[in-house]
Amino acid sequence: MKKIVVVVIILVVSCCIQLVSCNNNNGSFKDKNVQEGFQLAQKYCISCHLLPEPHLLNKTTWAEHVLPKMGGLLGFRRFASDYITESDTSGIITLNQWKNIVRYYVTQAPQDPLAREDNSLKIEIGLPYFEVEIPEINITNPATTMVAINSIKKEIVFADGLTEHLYTLFEDRISDSISIGIGISGIHENDKRLHVLTMGVLYPSDSKNGKLSNVPTGTGKIAVLVDSLQRPVHATYADLNDDGREEIIICEFGNTTGRLSWFEVDVDGKFSKHVLRAFPGSVKTEVHDFNQDGKPDMIALMAQGEEGFFIFYNEGNGRFKEERVLRFQPSYGSNYFELIDFNNDGFPDILASNGDNGDYPPILKAYHGIRIYLNDGKNKFTEEIFLPANGVGKVIAKDFDADGDFDLASISYFPDYNKTPEESFIYWRNEGGLTFRPYSFPEATAGRWLTMDAKDADGDGDIDIVLGNAKFTLGAIPPDVMRKWDANSPSIVILRNKIR
């Protein structure tokens, strides 16, 4: 029974990705059923993550999507407008207690999503320094899951989730393609080999179809290095144990289950797995010596239930000590980060985006956007900058205008197509003092940008940008935008930097 209870609690935590925190009446309600619902939410949710409170989701999202999903995991099925006991899943709470939790969220949630404060800078149309280039690539209904710029070879590599191919673009034409598998999410290349990470599935799943494969750069067969991965979305390569070989940190995002692990390789090339966090939602990792003891540590971004940043301090001999350094609302939708020293104090700061909006019918969320967290030198991070951006999916920091500071480039998979469709891509020019001015371009809605990379693609010494388009119709897409995609939807768009 204990094992079942633990599993159900984990499932509920992972389902809370759509929940948020606020303060309602200091927890005092006239209705005793609502009061009990509030107390039950505190009891069963706050031990695992920030208290999921109602005000950042609207009533419809709570009543029609989030709560029925949570109830199902607890053994309560929604029947018409009420709930019934479907199965004795765990005995954690009674049916009446569950109904009171539902009353609390539905009565306290607003009718409409919270509106974003109207203090955002207007996005100027017209990109300084960049020239838009759309290669002629004949892939119908593109589902670009990855793009990468190889500056040494002056190539652009991209993957399509439906054709299951990895393509190489050289001088604006496809020079090579190879069948790899479903949902290519990352590559790692050197002179001898190419590692390719595949999710094995395009949609949320707990299936173990993901793989890390070795693709020979010359002749030879593709070899699977690690299999049975749960929807892996990112891999980081570093020598973690000072043995002269690269270990691999893999984020198995999964769905209701998943894990963050590092894989140790022996002299024969065999991998052994070491689990760091046995929870779903690992998004990305970077390696850095945070405590300056000479050993490489890790930082990981986690989504799903316990959303936030975790540092894993390297204690030697393959042991790591976990410390949570930032904790977010479970509805944030965190999806990307980079370590960047924005204030030149010698300590890495965190640039992060949060705008994942695909679990339920998308609603606009005022708290979606780009954030910069400054490091105090002791790995305590404080939010310094918030740039609102609906449904932002990724943000990259580079000195695009070559003036000595970091500019930003962001993409959004869930922009406000009705009011600010130009949010699909924004170039944030740093005007000094972490003040950013946003720019976009008329073709920003030519695709739905799921992925992006920024490096020197043509060897001229400046930073170019490549956007990857995945034409999936999640949410309400305006008819004029849909007609544009149906007529011509490019796999990638290149923004050529012309500053040099």
mmCIF file of all heavy atoms in Angstrom, residues 1-16 44 48 69-76 87-93 256:
data_model
loop_
_atom_site.group_PDB
_atom_site.id
_atom_site.type_symbol
_atom_site.label_atom_id
_atom_site.label_comp_id
_atom_site.label_asym_id
_atom_site.label_seq_id
_atom_site.Cartn_x
_atom_site.Cartn_y
_atom_site.Cartn_z
ATOM 1 N N MET A 1 0.823 -1.212 0.000
ATOM 2 C CA MET A 1 0.000 0.000 0.000
ATOM 3 C C MET A 1 0.853 1.256 0.000
ATOM 4 O O MET A 1 0.570 2.218 -0.683
ATOM 5 C CB MET A 1 -0.936 -0.008 1.204
ATOM 6 C CG MET A 1 -1.771 1.279 1.320
ATOM 7 S SD MET A 1 -2.842 1.611 -0.092
ATOM 8 C CE MET A 1 -4.135 0.399 0.257
ATOM 9 N N LYS A 2 1.967 1.271 0.760
ATOM 10 C CA LYS A 2 2.828 2.450 0.808
ATOM 11 C C LYS A 2 3.362 2.788 -0.568
ATOM 12 O O LYS A 2 3.456 3.942 -0.953
ATOM 13 C CB LYS A 2 3.986 2.232 1.788
ATOM 14 C CG LYS A 2 3.565 2.260 3.255
ATOM 15 C CD LYS A 2 4.772 2.121 4.141
ATOM 16 C CE LYS A 2 4.386 2.191 5.613
ATOM 17 N NZ LYS A 2 5.559 2.045 6.497
ATOM 18 N N LYS A 3 3.730 1.748 -1.333
ATOM 19 C CA LYS A 3 4.271 1.988 -2.664
ATOM 20 C C LYS A 3 3.229 2.623 -3.562
ATOM 21 O O LYS A 3 3.519 3.536 -4.337
ATOM 22 C CB LYS A 3 4.756 0.665 -3.255
ATOM 23 C CG LYS A 3 5.482 0.822 -4.584
ATOM 24 C CD LYS A 3 6.001 -0.510 -5.089
ATOM 25 C CE LYS A 3 7.096 -1.036 -4.208
ATOM 26 N NZ LYS A 3 7.708 -2.266 -4.746
ATOM 27 N N ILE A 4 1.967 2.184 -3.456
ATOM 28 C CA ILE A 4 0.899 2.762 -4.270
ATOM 29 C C ILE A 4 0.681 4.211 -3.907
ATOM 30 O O ILE A 4 0.512 5.082 -4.758
ATOM 31 C CB ILE A 4 -0.408 1.952 -4.081
ATOM 32 C CG1 ILE A 4 -0.226 0.533 -4.631
ATOM 33 C CG2 ILE A 4 -1.573 2.641 -4.769
ATOM 34 C CD1 ILE A 4 -1.407 -0.369 -4.382
ATOM 35 N N VAL A 5 0.680 4.511 -2.599
ATOM 36 C CA VAL A 5 0.482 5.881 -2.139
ATOM 37 C C VAL A 5 1.565 6.791 -2.687
ATOM 38 O O VAL A 5 1.293 7.897 -3.171
ATOM 39 C CB VAL A 5 0.463 5.945 -0.597
ATOM 40 C CG1 VAL A 5 0.478 7.388 -0.134
ATOM 41 C CG2 VAL A 5 -0.777 5.237 -0.061
ATOM 42 N N VAL A 6 2.825 6.353 -2.644
ATOM 43 C CA VAL A 6 3.936 7.162 -3.151
ATOM 44 C C VAL A 6 3.765 7.431 -4.634
ATOM 45 O O VAL A 6 3.944 8.553 -5.115
ATOM 46 C CB VAL A 6 5.283 6.455 -2.877
ATOM 47 C CG1 VAL A 6 6.401 7.173 -3.621
ATOM 48 C CG2 VAL A 6 5.575 6.437 -1.386
ATOM 49 N N VAL A 7 3.369 6.404 -5.409
ATOM 50 C CA VAL A 7 3.188 6.575 -6.844
ATOM 51 C C VAL A 7 2.115 7.593 -7.143
ATOM 52 O O VAL A 7 2.270 8.483 -7.981
ATOM 53 C CB VAL A 7 2.847 5.222 -7.506
ATOM 54 C CG1 VAL A 7 2.406 5.441 -8.951
ATOM 55 C CG2 VAL A 7 4.044 4.291 -7.458
ATOM 56 N N VAL A 8 0.993 7.511 -6.428
ATOM 57 C CA VAL A 8 -0.107 8.440 -6.672
ATOM 58 C C VAL A 8 0.302 9.867 -6.331
ATOM 59 O O VAL A 8 -0.007 10.817 -7.047
ATOM 60 C CB VAL A 8 -1.361 8.019 -5.882
ATOM 61 C CG1 VAL A 8 -2.434 9.101 -5.987
ATOM 62 C CG2 VAL A 8 -1.899 6.709 -6.409
ATOM 63 N N ILE A 9 1.024 10.044 -5.213
ATOM 64 C CA ILE A 9 1.477 11.386 -4.835
ATOM 65 C C ILE A 9 2.384 11.963 -5.910
ATOM 66 O O ILE A 9 2.264 13.125 -6.295
ATOM 67 C CB ILE A 9 2.202 11.353 -3.477
ATOM 68 C CG1 ILE A 9 1.191 11.076 -2.362
ATOM 69 C CG2 ILE A 9 2.906 12.671 -3.202
ATOM 70 C CD1 ILE A 9 1.814 10.905 -1.001
ATOM 71 N N ILE A 10 3.284 11.145 -6.453
ATOM 72 C CA ILE A 10 4.172 11.606 -7.512
ATOM 73 C C ILE A 10 3.371 12.019 -8.743
ATOM 74 O O ILE A 10 3.628 13.040 -9.369
ATOM 75 C CB ILE A 10 5.197 10.510 -7.880
ATOM 76 C CG1 ILE A 10 6.188 10.323 -6.728
ATOM 77 C CG2 ILE A 10 5.940 10.865 -9.164
ATOM 78 C CD1 ILE A 10 7.134 9.172 -6.924
ATOM 79 N N LEU A 11 2.340 11.228 -9.082
ATOM 80 C CA LEU A 11 1.513 11.558 -10.226
ATOM 81 C C LEU A 11 0.781 12.874 -10.020
ATOM 82 O O LEU A 11 0.672 13.699 -10.920
ATOM 83 C CB LEU A 11 0.510 10.432 -10.490
ATOM 84 C CG LEU A 11 1.101 9.128 -11.043
ATOM 85 C CD1 LEU A 11 0.022 8.064 -11.101
ATOM 86 C CD2 LEU A 11 1.702 9.331 -12.413
ATOM 87 N N VAL A 12 0.280 13.080 -8.815
ATOM 88 C CA VAL A 12 -0.417 14.333 -8.523
ATOM 89 C C VAL A 12 0.538 15.505 -8.624
ATOM 90 O O VAL A 12 0.216 16.560 -9.171
ATOM 91 C CB VAL A 12 -1.078 14.281 -7.129
ATOM 92 C CG1 VAL A 12 -1.631 15.644 -6.759
ATOM 93 C CG2 VAL A 12 -2.195 13.255 -7.109
ATOM 94 N N VAL A 13 1.755 15.325 -8.107
ATOM 95 C CA VAL A 13 2.756 16.389 -8.193
ATOM 96 C C VAL A 13 3.044 16.738 -9.644
ATOM 97 O O VAL A 13 3.070 17.900 -10.036
ATOM 98 C CB VAL A 13 4.052 15.962 -7.476
ATOM 99 C CG1 VAL A 13 5.170 16.929 -7.794
ATOM 100 C CG2 VAL A 13 3.828 15.896 -5.979
ATOM 101 N N SER A 14 3.226 15.702 -10.488
ATOM 102 C CA SER A 14 3.537 15.975 -11.887
ATOM 103 C C SER A 14 2.372 16.640 -12.592
ATOM 104 O O SER A 14 2.546 17.432 -13.501
ATOM 105 C CB SER A 14 3.897 14.674 -12.608
ATOM 106 O OG SER A 14 2.769 13.835 -12.719
ATOM 107 N N CYS A 15 1.159 16.326 -12.166
ATOM 108 C CA CYS A 15 -0.018 16.929 -12.787
ATOM 109 C C CYS A 15 -0.154 18.397 -12.422
ATOM 110 O O CYS A 15 -0.834 19.156 -13.116
ATOM 111 C CB CYS A 15 -1.263 16.185 -12.330
ATOM 112 S SG CYS A 15 -2.413 15.858 -13.658
ATOM 113 N N CYS A 16 0.491 18.813 -11.346
ATOM 114 C CA CYS A 16 0.337 20.188 -10.863
ATOM 115 C C CYS A 16 1.114 21.184 -11.707
ATOM 116 O O CYS A 16 1.298 22.315 -11.306
ATOM 117 C CB CYS A 16 0.784 20.299 -9.401
ATOM 118 S SG CYS A 16 -0.422 19.632 -8.246
ATOM 119 N N TYR A 44 -1.577 18.451 1.129
ATOM 120 C CA TYR A 44 -1.118 17.441 0.183
ATOM 121 C C TYR A 44 -0.254 17.997 -0.944
ATOM 122 O O TYR A 44 0.310 17.228 -1.702
ATOM 123 C CB TYR A 44 -2.325 16.703 -0.410
ATOM 124 C CG TYR A 44 -3.008 15.826 0.614
ATOM 125 C CD1 TYR A 44 -4.226 16.186 1.173
ATOM 126 C CD2 TYR A 44 -2.418 14.648 1.046
ATOM 127 C CE1 TYR A 44 -4.845 15.390 2.128
ATOM 128 C CE2 TYR A 44 -3.023 13.843 1.993
ATOM 129 C CZ TYR A 44 -4.239 14.209 2.537
ATOM 130 O OH TYR A 44 -4.841 13.423 3.483
ATOM 131 N N CYS A 48 5.549 19.197 -1.400
ATOM 132 C CA CYS A 48 6.347 18.837 -2.569
ATOM 133 C C CYS A 48 6.732 20.034 -3.433
ATOM 134 O O CYS A 48 7.728 19.985 -4.140
ATOM 135 C CB CYS A 48 5.591 17.830 -3.431
ATOM 136 S SG CYS A 48 5.270 16.251 -2.615
ATOM 137 N N LYS A 69 -8.160 15.958 -14.467
ATOM 138 C CA LYS A 69 -6.944 15.139 -14.595
ATOM 139 C C LYS A 69 -6.430 14.729 -13.215
ATOM 140 O O LYS A 69 -6.078 13.554 -12.988
ATOM 141 C CB LYS A 69 -5.876 15.938 -15.349
ATOM 142 C CG LYS A 69 -4.558 15.197 -15.550
ATOM 143 C CD LYS A 69 -4.713 14.063 -16.536
ATOM 144 C CE LYS A 69 -3.361 13.398 -16.816
ATOM 145 N NZ LYS A 69 -2.457 14.290 -17.565
ATOM 146 N N MET A 70 -6.375 15.651 -12.293
ATOM 147 C CA MET A 70 -5.925 15.331 -10.935
ATOM 148 C C MET A 70 -6.861 14.325 -10.271
ATOM 149 O O MET A 70 -6.419 13.377 -9.622
ATOM 150 C CB MET A 70 -5.841 16.609 -10.099
ATOM 151 C CG MET A 70 -4.748 17.566 -10.516
ATOM 152 S SD MET A 70 -4.778 19.062 -9.522
ATOM 153 C CE MET A 70 -4.456 18.387 -7.894
ATOM 154 N N GLY A 71 -8.173 14.539 -10.441
ATOM 155 C CA GLY A 71 -9.131 13.623 -9.837
ATOM 156 C C GLY A 71 -8.983 12.210 -10.353
ATOM 157 O O GLY A 71 -9.086 11.236 -9.594
ATOM 158 N N GLY A 72 -8.738 12.081 -11.659
ATOM 159 C CA GLY A 72 -8.538 10.752 -12.226
ATOM 160 C C GLY A 72 -7.363 10.025 -11.612
ATOM 161 O O GLY A 72 -7.408 8.812 -11.384
ATOM 162 N N LEU A 73 -6.291 10.758 -11.329
ATOM 163 C CA LEU A 73 -5.118 10.135 -10.708
ATOM 164 C C LEU A 73 -5.396 9.695 -9.273
ATOM 165 O O LEU A 73 -4.759 8.786 -8.764
ATOM 166 C CB LEU A 73 -3.943 11.120 -10.735
ATOM 167 C CG LEU A 73 -3.415 11.476 -12.135
ATOM 168 C CD1 LEU A 73 -2.362 12.550 -12.043
ATOM 169 C CD2 LEU A 73 -2.858 10.241 -12.817
ATOM 170 N N LEU A 74 -6.357 10.338 -8.635
ATOM 171 C CA LEU A 74 -6.713 9.982 -7.265
ATOM 172 C C LEU A 74 -7.836 8.954 -7.192
ATOM 173 O O LEU A 74 -8.249 8.556 -6.097
ATOM 174 C CB LEU A 74 -7.125 11.242 -6.493
ATOM 175 C CG LEU A 74 -5.991 12.218 -6.165
ATOM 176 C CD1 LEU A 74 -6.545 13.541 -5.675
ATOM 177 C CD2 LEU A 74 -5.065 11.611 -5.128
ATOM 178 N N GLY A 75 -8.343 8.547 -8.365
ATOM 179 C CA GLY A 75 -9.405 7.550 -8.374
ATOM 180 C C GLY A 75 -10.795 8.118 -8.439
ATOM 181 O O GLY A 75 -11.780 7.399 -8.226
ATOM 182 N N PHE A 76 -10.927 9.417 -8.750
ATOM 183 C CA PHE A 76 -12.241 10.059 -8.839
ATOM 184 C C PHE A 76 -12.497 10.483 -10.281
ATOM 185 O O PHE A 76 -11.748 11.279 -10.843
ATOM 186 C CB PHE A 76 -12.323 11.275 -7.920
ATOM 187 C CG PHE A 76 -11.924 10.982 -6.498
ATOM 188 C CD1 PHE A 76 -10.905 11.689 -5.886
ATOM 189 C CD2 PHE A 76 -12.561 9.986 -5.773
ATOM 190 C CE1 PHE A 76 -10.522 11.423 -4.584
ATOM 191 C CE2 PHE A 76 -12.195 9.714 -4.468
ATOM 192 C CZ PHE A 76 -11.167 10.427 -3.867
ATOM 193 N N SER A 87 -12.324 4.212 -8.514
ATOM 194 C CA SER A 87 -11.546 3.079 -8.002
ATOM 195 C C SER A 87 -10.885 3.474 -6.700
ATOM 196 O O SER A 87 -10.665 4.653 -6.427
ATOM 197 C CB SER A 87 -10.472 2.657 -9.021
ATOM 198 O OG SER A 87 -9.550 3.708 -9.226
ATOM 199 N N ASP A 88 -10.594 2.498 -5.901
ATOM 200 C CA ASP A 88 -9.894 2.745 -4.636
ATOM 201 C C ASP A 88 -8.395 2.773 -4.913
ATOM 202 O O ASP A 88 -7.678 1.816 -4.657
ATOM 203 C CB ASP A 88 -10.243 1.656 -3.613
ATOM 204 C CG ASP A 88 -9.603 1.927 -2.258
ATOM 205 O OD1 ASP A 88 -9.174 3.070 -2.047
ATOM 206 O OD2 ASP A 88 -9.537 1.005 -1.439
ATOM 207 N N THR A 89 -7.957 3.895 -5.489
ATOM 208 C CA THR A 89 -6.575 3.975 -5.946
ATOM 209 C C THR A 89 -5.589 4.001 -4.787
ATOM 210 O O THR A 89 -4.583 3.307 -4.773
ATOM 211 C CB THR A 89 -6.375 5.229 -6.821
ATOM 212 O OG1 THR A 89 -7.317 5.179 -7.894
ATOM 213 C CG2 THR A 89 -4.979 5.279 -7.377
ATOM 214 N N SER A 90 -5.867 4.850 -3.796
ATOM 215 C CA SER A 90 -4.858 5.003 -2.754
ATOM 216 C C SER A 90 -5.435 5.206 -1.375
ATOM 217 O O SER A 90 -4.772 4.921 -0.383
ATOM 218 C CB SER A 90 -3.949 6.186 -3.087
ATOM 219 O OG SER A 90 -4.715 7.373 -3.043
ATOM 220 N N GLY A 91 -6.640 5.748 -1.284
ATOM 221 C CA GLY A 91 -7.174 6.066 0.036
ATOM 222 C C GLY A 91 -6.538 7.297 0.648
ATOM 223 O O GLY A 91 -6.634 7.510 1.857
ATOM 224 N N ILE A 92 -5.860 8.139 -0.165
ATOM 225 C CA ILE A 92 -5.218 9.335 0.374
ATOM 226 C C ILE A 92 -6.259 10.301 0.909
ATOM 227 O O ILE A 92 -6.144 10.824 2.013
ATOM 228 C CB ILE A 92 -4.354 10.018 -0.710
ATOM 229 C CG1 ILE A 92 -3.201 9.098 -1.105
ATOM 230 C CG2 ILE A 92 -3.819 11.351 -0.219
ATOM 231 C CD1 ILE A 92 -2.359 9.648 -2.235
ATOM 232 N N ILE A 93 -7.310 10.555 0.094
ATOM 233 C CA ILE A 93 -8.389 11.431 0.529
ATOM 234 C C ILE A 93 -9.720 10.779 0.152
ATOM 235 O O ILE A 93 -9.776 9.891 -0.717
ATOM 236 C CB ILE A 93 -8.293 12.832 -0.111
ATOM 237 C CG1 ILE A 93 -8.383 12.744 -1.638
ATOM 238 C CG2 ILE A 93 -7.030 13.547 0.328
ATOM 239 C CD1 ILE A 93 -8.426 14.101 -2.315
ATOM 240 N N THR A 256 4.535 11.627 -16.692
ATOM 241 C CA THR A 256 4.239 11.498 -15.267
ATOM 242 C C THR A 256 5.383 10.831 -14.523
ATOM 243 O O THR A 256 5.443 10.871 -13.294
ATOM 244 C CB THR A 256 2.949 10.688 -15.037
ATOM 245 O OG1 THR A 256 3.097 9.386 -15.614
ATOM 246 C CG2 THR A 256 1.763 11.397 -15.669
#
